Amino acid sequence: MQSVILKTATHLMVGLMLVFAVYVLLRGHHEPGGGFSAALLAGTAFALFAITEGADQVRRAIRIRPAAMAMTGLAMAVVSGLPALFTGRPFLTGIWRHLNGFSVGTPLLFDMGVFLAVLGAILSILLALEEN
Amino acid sequence: MKPPLPNIENPPACCRGGLFSSILPLVLFGFLCLAWPRVVQGDIFAVQWAWVPSLDLDLAFRLDGLGLLFSLIITMTGFFVTLYASTYMAGYPHLGRFFFYLHGFMLAMLGIVLADNLLLLFIFWEATTILSFLLIGFNHESTDARESARQALLVTGGGGLFLLMGILLIKAAGFPMGLSLLAASGDLIRSHVLYPAIFICILVGAMTKSAQVPFHFWLPNAMTAPTPISAFLHAATMVKAGIYLLLRLHPAMAGTPLWTGTLVIIGGITALWGAIQALGPCDLKRVLAYTTLMALGVLTLFAGGQTVLSLTAAATFLMVHALYKAALFLAVGSIDHQTGTRDLEHLEGLLKCMPLTALAVAGATLSMAGFPLFFGFIGKEIMYEGALAQEMFPVFATIATLMSNALMTAVAAVILITPFAGPPGGKLSLVCEAPWTMRLGPAIMGTLGIIFGIMPEWVSANLVQPAVFSIHPDREDIRLVFFHGINLPLLLSILTLALGSLIYRHRILLRYRVETFMQRLWITTPVLYQRALEAFLSLAGSFTGKIQNGSLHFYLFVTIFTMVVAVGWPWIFHIPAALVLPETVGPLIAFGLFAFILASTGVVVTARKRLSAIGGLGGVGSGVALTFLVFGAPDIALTQLLVETLTVIFVSLVLLRLPPIDAVQKRSCSRTIRDACLSLGAGLVLTTVLMGVLQVPLDRSLTAFFENHAYLAAHGRNIVNVILVDFRSLDTLGEICVVVLAAWAAVTLIRRPKEG
Amino acid sequence: MESFLAIVVGLMVSAAFFLMLSGVLIRFVFGLILMGNAVNLLIFTAGRLAPVNPPLIGAKQTLLAAPAANALPQALILTAIVIGFAMTIFMLILLFRTHDQTRTLDADQDRFILETDKTDLPDITGQKVQE
């Protein structure tokens, strides 16, 4: 599309939306949000980007192939379940460590896996459609 | 049948992978040999792991005398057959698959004879059925092979269902699934009211697998399989599975008049039927298949008996048959491989060209005919002893055994004399001997037939006695001896040879008589099978034609209609007189949202333009999202809103490339009304069901658990998110897999190259 | 509120079925999307509407201060929404590909059933293949 306003606005918006997506992802454990919403938000941002700049630009921006991203997400989700196995608990049981008031645990990794898997799925369809 | 086409060049081709894989059966055979001396002493090797305890299904294996006898036969023939096939099958496509099936079959067969749990045995049993199907149909480009494979699958698979039914009946009667436990409760089983039903189900399973009349017809047809397969599955091992089952269940179920009478009669008829038919065909493999029927019949007959003698006869003849039949099949395969034909009418004078094969065939056929000094002679003696000592129908058993043995002698003569005697004619003189891999099996098995015949005491002490002792309580010594003195069995043996030569002389006349008799039979099971199959296929065809008529409207209409009737009709009788709902007081704005949702829905339904429909959909989605928000679900409200945005983007992307909505024929008015009524009916059913659901008190204990543990155990304040990524993360993992798979499928569809 | 929502759900389902029955594939997909929304709302309602506080534990607290909305159906619906979305996209692509092959989106037309379907039927009797 050749609308200057749309292009300019998109450049501003996409960056903002991606940052916001990461925020939604990270705050998801305590406030509304999480991997699913964040992925949809990021997907929308990339859709906007793809419509204005074309699929090539999106591919260049994300660097890895969307399918690889989806697979990485699935792998992260699976890997996040493994530590529990080593401690003799069922697969995917959450394991937490507390450092100076911050809590870090495998469910966060799992949520990031969800984010990447869903985003990868959306992007692969989006780019395939745009390029068709 | 095709005329001979000698394989003159005798290509040294050999499937190395197949050759290499023959190590597996050899190693297994070696292990069994290590365990052998201890099994002879009466030791039993048993291992057990729990698998599905709730079903009484354990991975339990047990090696006793009977299992050892069968395992030795399986691994030994397995080794020779694999070795043989590595040359015989060279040049065929899909050899990896072939050897995979072959070894898979061997392991499944070992599973049957070593399993100590009826359900486990059944699993292996079905595995052999499926692998047999795959192996018979290995030349899947041939129609014959496909049809025979399917026939074998339907007959033995159908029998397998009966077997399962029998096993479940045993379970229903309260008996354990462990075979050794089952053997101990024989008296209770025999006096149980379900005993006849159990017996019939198990019998049908065994009869189909072991090709007893009237389920025998699949076995001769299965000869379309490659010859090594016929030798392994359809002569030496798989068809013996039914016999094995009868022997294994002998302590648990045998001893009733029902068991003995039925088995003796069925076995006798099968033996006679197979033996008579064996004179008919010109195809050597079919001849052998019919003689296998005879052997299976005789084995069933002796499995029916209750005495030690009867079981000894079964165990001995089992070995006799496995040795000579596998050797003969492999030798016939060699003839086929070298000359290009196995038609008796085209084969003659092969003695000069293939002397070693001829020697092996001589050893096997003389054992088959029961000549003195051969193992077959010992087998025949003990068979006559067993038949004479049968508790029920001893006269019938003896006559059936005598007649089928006499016919076997004649058939043995045909197999030995016709292809090998005389001068080689035409191109047959160019034929040369098969490679060593194909000669080894027949040679060793033929030789074993002589060695066992010379030292029967060793065989009875080390093979027969342990096998019989493991299924019979009596501990009387079993001794197979070469010469019993002049008694009735010896006279019968002599009579057999005399009758056999008589039959051989008049075989042409006899064959003619049999053929005319067969033509007079008004119905036979193969015909019945064919008719039933055709009827079933045409029924399925017309049924499928009616319900799968290609009309989307029809499918949906039937589905929705069924839902309305199946849910709505019973529901009518349960609707409370007054549906009193726990009405929640929500903000007034909720009513506005409902109205908005309904209005947007209306827009979607009535839209004639794509854009207005998309707008309507967006309205519905946003309305639903806001409803979630109003009723305390910010997470799903957020997700729903985002999904709505993306959906609109994707719908627009796709719809822009499609024709407008109204670019179709107009639907008739009556159809629209009918559809509308059905849809409203479905909606009404759903509304009332939902109202009914709301009247039942809700169990919130799960939610309470999540609420109480969300922060304390899982360190999250957003309970919904904690459920997703922690409490129920396995579900979520499955769900993202679905999402990724759907995306994968969609991308594949998009990228599909255009035709032309 | 509940009875109103039940009626809304019923009407949405009716509309969805009606669209699907129309035989126009675009409307079929619209029906499917509508159905997804209706079913999510149905699950939500079946999990009860009261209380209406979001199931979020307040800062500095370890348990819910006041009774909150049922979190379990919410978690179910959240994944259902995403899966429904993925399936919708898949259906859209299928629609696109169908149109590519048949040049029509009218499921009632004869040409919609591909001609190749009739000739390429596997021969289940196994008897006629070699003719």
Side-chain angles (χ1 to χ4, degrees):
Chain A
M1 275 186 220
Q2 297 303 318
S3 157
V4 180
I5 300 173
L6 184 64
K7 270 196 173 177
T8 318
T10 304
H11 279 280
L12 283 173
M13 295 255 308
V14 168
L16 272 178
M17 283 170 81
L18 287 178
V19 171
F20 189 62
V22 174
Y23 169 70
V24 167
L25 169 67
L26 292 181
R27 77 174 211 148
H29 214 55
H30 296 301
E31 304 286 333
F36 282 114
S37 329
L40 295 167
L41 195 56
T44 315
F46 282 120
L48 204 57
F49 199 45
I51 289 168
T52 50
E53 300 283 349
D56 278 350
Q57 293 291 325
V58 178
R59 279 198 193 277
R60 216 166 292 161
I62 58 173
R63 291 174 191 215
I64 61 167
R65 290 187 305 124
M69 184 190 282
M71 287 304 151
T72 313
L74 284 184
M76 274 168 77
V78 171
V79 165
S80 80
L82 296 181
L85 289 180
F86 293 117
T87 56
R89 274 171 287 182
F91 180 58
L92 283 172
T93 309
I95 307 271
W96 290 88
R97 288 285 170 273
H98 306 281
L99 303 162
N100 303 331
F102 280 101
S103 298
V104 182
T106 52
L108 296 181
L109 185 65
F110 184 86
D111 216 8
M112 285 179 206
V114 170
F115 171 76
L116 284 184
V118 175
L119 181 59
I122 294 172
L123 280 181
S124 54
I125 302 175
L126 181 79
L127 296 183
L129 255 184
E130 276 289 322
E131 283 163 0
N132 187 269
Chain B
M1 181 136 301
K2 57 192 176 175
L5 196 89
N7 178 3
I8 304 163
E9 293 167 9
N10 202 6
C14 172
C15 172
R16 280 172 198 282
L19 194 64
F20 188 68
S21 72
S22 65
I23 290 174
L24 174 68
L26 195 62
V27 167
L28 290 172
F29 185 77
F31 273 118
L32 288 168
C33 286
L34 288 180
W36 194 347
R38 289 188 52 192
V39 172
V40 171
Q41 285 166 18
D43 285 358
I44 285 167
F45 296 87
V47 284
Q48 182 164 5
W49 298 280
W51 185 7
V52 190
S54 55
L55 291 177
D56 200 2
L57 170 56
D58 294 324
L59 281 172
F61 297 95
R62 193 163 181 275
L63 180 67
D64 60 2
L66 187 67
L68 179 78
L69 175 62
F70 274 91
S71 310
L72 286 172
I73 293 176
I74 293 165
T75 47
M76 186 187 73
T77 39
F79 170 65
F80 289 135
V81 163
T82 318
L83 195 67
Y84 184 93
S86 66
T87 306
Y88 183 89
M89 299 296 291
Y92 276 76
H94 309 307
L95 277 187
R97 199 187 293 174
F98 177 82
F99 284 103
F100 176 74
Y101 293 159
L102 189 67
H103 289 298
F105 168 79
M106 185 183 68
L107 294 177
M109 196 63 215
L110 280 176
I112 291 184
V113 299
L114 294 180
D116 191 26
N117 184 294
L118 259 179
L119 287 169
L120 187 65
L121 183 148
F122 175 75
I123 291 169
F124 288 122
W125 180 284
E126 291 296 281
T128 59
T129 299
I130 292 167
L131 286 163
S132 154
F133 165 76
L134 292 170
L135 284 166
I136 296 173
F138 185 68
N139 294 326
H140 56 82
E141 281 166 15
S142 131
T143 316
D144 275 354
R146 286 203 305 276
E147 269 195 69
S148 309
R150 187 184 53 188
Q151 191 179 52
L153 180 72
L154 288 180
V155 175
T156 55
L161 288 182
F162 272 89
L163 173 63
L164 179 64
M165 220 161 20
I167 294 173
L168 294 180
L169 279 175
I170 293 179
K171 209 166 151 53
F175 294 107
M177 286 289 98
L179 278 165
S180 37
L181 297 173
L182 207 59
S185 44
D187 291 332
L188 290 172
I189 297 177
R190 277 184 284 270
S191 56
H192 199 279
V193 65
L194 281 176
Y195 174 77
I198 295 172
F199 170 70
I200 288 168
C201 288
I202 297 221
L203 181 71
V204 172
M207 280 169 74
T208 50
K209 197 79 163 178
S210 286
Q212 300 293 307
V213 172
F215 304 117
H216 60 287
F217 51 91
W218 69 266
L219 185 58
N221 291 338
M223 292 301 125
T224 49
T227 305
I229 297 310
S230 309
F232 193 29
L233 273 69
H234 307 121
T237 60
M238 189 186 84
V239 286
K240 305 268 173 62
I243 309 295
Y244 171 79
L245 184 71
L246 294 176
L247 290 177
R248 182 51 84 192
L249 289 176
H250 205 273
M253 296 181 67
T256 57
L258 181 64
W259 173 282
T260 308
T262 319
L263 289 191
V264 167
I265 288 183
I266 287 174
I269 291 176
T270 306
L272 280 173
W273 189 260
I276 290 172
Q277 299 248 66
L279 279 174
C282 289
D283 178 359
L284 265 172
K285 275 181 80 178
R286 270 187 104 79
V287 173
L288 290 179
Y290 282 115
T291 62
T292 307
L293 283 187
M294 171 270 174
L296 294 170
V298 169
L299 286 171
T300 307
L301 191 153
F302 288 113
Q306 181 56 19
T307 55
V308 172
L309 214 53
S310 179
L311 293 178
T312 307
T316 313
F317 187 58
L318 184 81
M319 274 186 288
V320 175
H321 177 255
L323 286 177
Y324 80 67
K325 188 54 64 64
L328 279 180
F329 260 114
L330 294 184
V332 164
S334 298
I335 294 174
D336 193 6
H337 189 256
Q338 298 304 110
T339 65
T341 185
R342 48 175 204 253
D343 190 332
L344 280 171
E345 291 190 352
H346 291 298
L347 291 169
E348 55 181 344
L350 286 178
L351 179 61
K352 285 224 177 66
C353 331
M354 304 176 71
L356 294 168
T357 307
L359 203 61
V361 169
T365 44
L366 289 177
S367 182
M368 174 175 168
F371 269 82
L373 283 183
F374 286 89
F375 195 30
F377 177 73
I378 313 283
K380 198 157 52 175
E381 295 278 288
I382 187 80
M383 267 155 72
Y384 287 135
E385 279 187 57
L388 288 168
Q390 230 13 303
E391 300 94 333
M392 293 177 73
F393 315 116
V395 178
F396 170 76
T398 311
I399 292 178
T401 318
L402 175 70
M403 286 313 296
S404 43
N405 270 330
L407 283 158
M408 274 311 95
T409 310
V411 174
V414 170
I415 297 172
L416 179 60
I417 296 171
T418 314
F420 292 102
K427 289 181 173 176
L428 281 178
S429 53
L430 302 172
V431 168
C432 56
E433 191 55 89
W436 71 271
T437 45
M438 291 172 63
R439 288 200 309 263
L440 188 70
I444 291 187
M445 286 190 279
T447 316
L448 276 181
I450 302 180
I451 294 176
F452 284 8
I454 296 172
M455 40 196 291
E457 284 92 349
W458 184 85
V459 176
S460 61
N462 289 295
L463 285 164
V464 177
Q465 183 163 305
V468 174
F469 278 6
S470 60
I471 49 171
H472 202 281
D474 290 352
R475 285 289 172 270
E476 53 186 274
D477 260 3
I478 296 169
R479 292 191 61 223
L480 296 176
V481 288
F482 177 62
F483 187 64
H484 281 275
I486 298 186
N487 55 7
L488 196 49
L490 183 67
L491 293 178
L492 283 173
S493 277
I494 296 168
L495 186 60
T496 309
L497 290 180
L499 269 176
S501 54
L502 198 67
I503 294 171
Y504 178 72
R505 186 170 292 177
H506 298 287
R507 65 185 187 278
I508 311 237
L509 179 70
L510 200 69
R511 186 185 299 166
Y512 173 72
R513 285 279 152 79
V514 170
E515 272 168 18
T516 45
F517 172 73
M518 291 296 289
Q519 279 161 6
R520 268 192 227 143
L521 283 180
W522 63 276
I523 187 119
T524 52
T525 39
V527 176
L528 210 61
Y529 165 86
Q530 199 59 38
R531 282 191 198 157
L533 194 65
E534 277 160 17
F536 182 75
L537 286 178
S538 74
L539 177 74
S542 67
F543 194 66
T544 311
K546 285 211 178 62
I547 60 166
Q548 297 282 320
N549 59 3
S551 160
L552 179 68
H553 181 257
F554 173 78
Y555 298 160
L556 276 172
F557 198 89
V558 170
T559 310
I560 301 170
F561 186 80
T562 312
M563 186 207 96
V564 171
V565 173
V567 179
W569 179 249
W571 178 229
I572 286 176
F573 301 102
H574 292 92
I575 292 182
L579 280 164
V580 186
L581 300 188
E583 298 292 352
T584 308
V585 185
L588 273 180
I589 193 173
F591 290 108
L593 287 173
F594 298 165
F596 180 64
I597 292 173
L598 289 181
S600 305
T601 307
V603 170
V604 181
V605 173
T606 54
R608 308 231 57 88
K609 292 272 175 288
R610 289 171 292 186
L611 207 58
S612 47
I614 295 173
L617 278 179
V620 174
S622 327
V624 172
L626 291 173
T627 310
F628 289 146
L629 189 63
V630 165
F631 290 101
D635 266 292
I636 48 177
L638 177 63
T639 313
Q640 171 79 35
L641 269 178
L642 290 166
V643 158
E644 219 42 62
T645 318
L646 267 178
T647 307
V648 168
I649 292 176
F650 276 99
V651 170
S652 317
L653 274 179
V654 173
L655 286 201
L656 286 177
R657 301 163 195 220
L658 297 177
I661 302 176
D662 46 7
V664 292
Q665 267 182 323
K666 243 183 126 41
R667 306 293 189 244
S668 69
C669 201
S670 62
R671 171 175 154 178
T672 309
I673 293 174
R674 209 173 49 217
D675 288 353
C677 290
L678 183 69
S679 308
L680 283 172
L684 183 70
V685 167
L686 217 66
T687 299
T688 50
V689 168
L690 179 56
M691 287 178 167
V693 167
L694 287 168
Q695 285 207 311
V696 184
L698 181 70
D699 177 8
R700 276 188 66 143
S701 54
L702 261 182
T703 307
F705 172 86
F706 294 138
E707 285 170 350
N708 292 334
H709 292 80
Y711 189 74
L712 292 175
H715 311 283
R717 297 182 192 279
N718 179 358
I719 298 170
V720 175
N721 187 267
V722 171
I723 294 176
L724 283 175
V725 300
D726 201 328
F727 291 127
R728 305 297 315 164
S729 47
L730 194 61
D731 298 351
T732 311
L733 184 60
E735 280 146 4
I736 56 177
C737 284
V738 173
V739 171
V740 171
L741 277 177
W744 188 4
V747 169
T748 316
L749 267 180
I750 299 172
R751 293 230 174 107
R752 193 179 147 189
K754 282 182 182 164
E755 285 163 36
Chain C
M1 279 303 168
E2 273 85 349
S3 45
F4 290 98
L5 255 181
I7 292 166
V8 169
V9 167
L11 285 173
M12 282 172 82
V13 167
S14 299
F17 277 145
F18 183 72
L19 283 169
M20 289 161 99
L21 281 167
S22 74
V24 187
L25 290 183
I26 297 182
R27 302 183 92 204
F28 182 93
V29 174
F30 291 163
L32 218 58
I33 298 174
L34 210 53
M35 180 71 82
N37 277 319
V39 171
N40 287 340
L41 211 50
L42 177 122
I43 298 172
F44 188 70
T45 316
R48 304 302 186 271
L49 299 178
V52 295
N53 299 320
L56 298 168
I57 297 168
K60 306 259 167 66
Q61 283 167 329
T62 54
L63 289 172
L64 283 171
N70 197 344
L72 185 57
Q74 292 192 19
L76 297 179
I77 293 167
L78 205 151
T79 48
I81 290 173
V82 178
I83 289 190
F85 169 68
M87 295 318 289
T88 305
I89 305 291
F90 179 70
M91 288 301 291
L92 276 169
I93 307 294
L94 206 56
L95 191 70
F96 175 64
R97 191 50 69 192
T98 310
H99 180 255
D100 215 41
Q101 300 261 309
T102 61
R103 311 313 303 174
T104 179
L105 287 176
D106 188 350
D108 288 6
Q109 285 197 14
D110 275 348
R111 65 183 155 145
F112 184 69
I113 301 163
L114 290 176
E115 284 302 311
T116 47
D117 286 359
K118 286 170 192 162
T119 49
D120 284 358
L121 274 180
D123 177 31
I124 50 168
T125 60
Q127 284 158 357
K128 295 159 202 158
V129 172
Q130 287 201 332
E131 284 167 14

